[in-house]
Amino acid sequence: MIIAIDGTAASGKGTLGRTLAMRLGLDYLDTGQLYRAVGLAVKLAGVNLEDASDETLKTLIDQLDLCQKFGPELRSSEIGELASKVAAIAQVRTSLLERQRDFAHNPPHGKGAVLDGRDIGSVVLPDADAKFFIDAAADIRATRRHLELKARGEDIEFSEVLADIIKRDCRDKNRTIAPLIAASDAFFIDSSDKNADEVLAICLDYLDGGHEPQAATGL
Ligand code: CDP
């Protein structure tokens, strides 16, 4: 059983992915964390993305232990922004593609996997058994992310979080390689007026056959 979840920044993909995996006894991979890890590595190595060669990026990623325990910096707005920049580079996506597919097809507990990201249903796992696409109004997503960052001790204004989210979505949707897009067979959920439990219930209901596929209209 392979489930693909895609969606905009701070739309609730991660929470849904984690809870869905737990309920179904599947393994979970937050693919955004991989791109964030590359963004952090780029920062720590002082690599200039403007003129970094494919070779440099490939070596950096090959040497990166993606299973290590990352600190809270990985979830910071700065690293989110860097993740979205490195995610637009073809070499970075190529280097991470097989790792994501390998996790899905050989999950640690052998039962199946839930992956969340931007291109899971469209590029990484086009044959996934079920696909979800989550979106919500930008100000609602920014409110959720602002609370999350504040709780983590980041001193940041709401307006900055909103601007970051809009900029990142725009870059993710408009990049030439593997842009953020809803697969045509994805089930669309607008989480603007739904809490995490409600979104989970809708997805479980859909997997039980209680819903017809609904084309994504949110983008
Ligand atoms: O948690 P949030 O929705 O803010 O972002 P994330 O899932 O941690 O992803 C960070 C960035 O990685 C995104 O803005 C994308 O640019 C990139 N990403 C991607 O391009 N493809 C994926 N499958 C996952 C993330």
Side-chain angles (χ1 to χ4, degrees), residues 5-14 30-36 74-75 79-88 93 100 116-120 124 141 145 148 165 168-169 171-172 175 177-180:
I5 303 173
D6 290 300
T8 47
S11 56
K13 305 176 302 295
D30 171 356
T31 68
Q33 182 150 320
L34 306 181
Y35 290 91
R36 284 175 183 264
L74 201 71
R75 296 295 312 164
I79 298 302
E81 173 70 7
L82 256 176
S84 135
K85 285 189 178 148
V86 299
R93 301 204 78 83
Q100 297 171 75
D116 86 65
R118 303 293 188 291
D119 60 339
I120 308 302
V124 179
R141 292 186 285 121
R145 180 53 49 90
E148 181 193 328
I165 277 185
R168 201 142 61 82
D169 283 348
R171 190 184 294 125
D172 289 345
R175 66 184 174 219
I177 172 159
L180 166 63

Side-chain angles (χ1 to χ4, degrees), residues 4-198:
I5 303 173
D6 290 300
T8 47
S11 56
K13 305 176 302 295
T15 305
L16 173 64
R18 257 190 314 278
T19 52
L20 200 53
M22 213 182 303
R23 282 291 284 268
L24 301 175
L26 307 176
D27 291 302
Y28 168 63
L29 179 65
D30 171 356
T31 68
Q33 182 150 320
L34 306 181
Y35 290 91
R36 284 175 183 264
V38 175
L40 181 59
V42 159
K43 179 187 162 188
L44 295 178
V47 171
N48 178 4
L49 287 178
E50 303 295 315
D51 58 18
S53 68
D54 284 353
E55 192 64 30
T56 302
L57 291 168
K58 184 176 181 316
T59 307
L60 190 77
I61 297 171
D62 286 348
Q63 289 172 350
L64 192 59
D65 175 10
L66 293 167
C67 301
Q68 69 184 276
K69 233 180 155 28
F70 290 97
E73 187 183 8
L74 201 71
R75 296 295 312 164
S76 69
S77 48
E78 182 198 2
I79 298 302
E81 173 70 7
L82 256 176
S84 135
K85 285 189 178 148
V86 299
I89 301 172
Q91 180 59 53
V92 172
R93 301 204 78 83
T94 305
S95 292
L96 294 178
L97 184 62
E98 280 316 310
R99 296 194 194 203
Q100 297 171 75
R101 287 187 175 151
D102 185 52
F103 182 92
H105 296 299
N106 304 290
H109 295 94
K111 194 173 164 198
V114 179
L115 280 79
D116 86 65
R118 303 293 188 291
D119 60 339
I120 308 302
S122 55
V123 173
V124 179
L125 300 165
D127 297 327
D129 299 293
K131 299 178 186 177
F132 297 102
F133 191 92
I134 308 204
D135 198 2
D139 59 330
I140 290 176
R141 292 186 285 121
T143 303
R144 292 175 187 158
R145 180 53 49 90
H146 189 222
L147 282 172
E148 181 193 328
L149 293 171
K150 293 282 258 191
R152 216 174 266 125
E154 194 167 327
D155 183 20
I156 188 165
E157 294 293 325
F158 171 81
S159 55
E160 203 183 324
V161 176
L162 179 62
D164 278 358
I165 277 185
I166 291 172
K167 183 163 56 154
R168 201 142 61 82
D169 283 348
C170 181
R171 190 184 294 125
D172 289 345
K173 287 176 191 175
N174 294 306
R175 66 184 174 219
T176 45
I177 172 159
L180 166 63
I181 190 169
S184 58
D185 51 350
F187 180 71
F188 177 73
I189 299 163
D190 180 349
S191 73
S192 301
D193 57 354
K194 294 174 185 68
N195 64 31
D197 288 343
E198 290 169 324

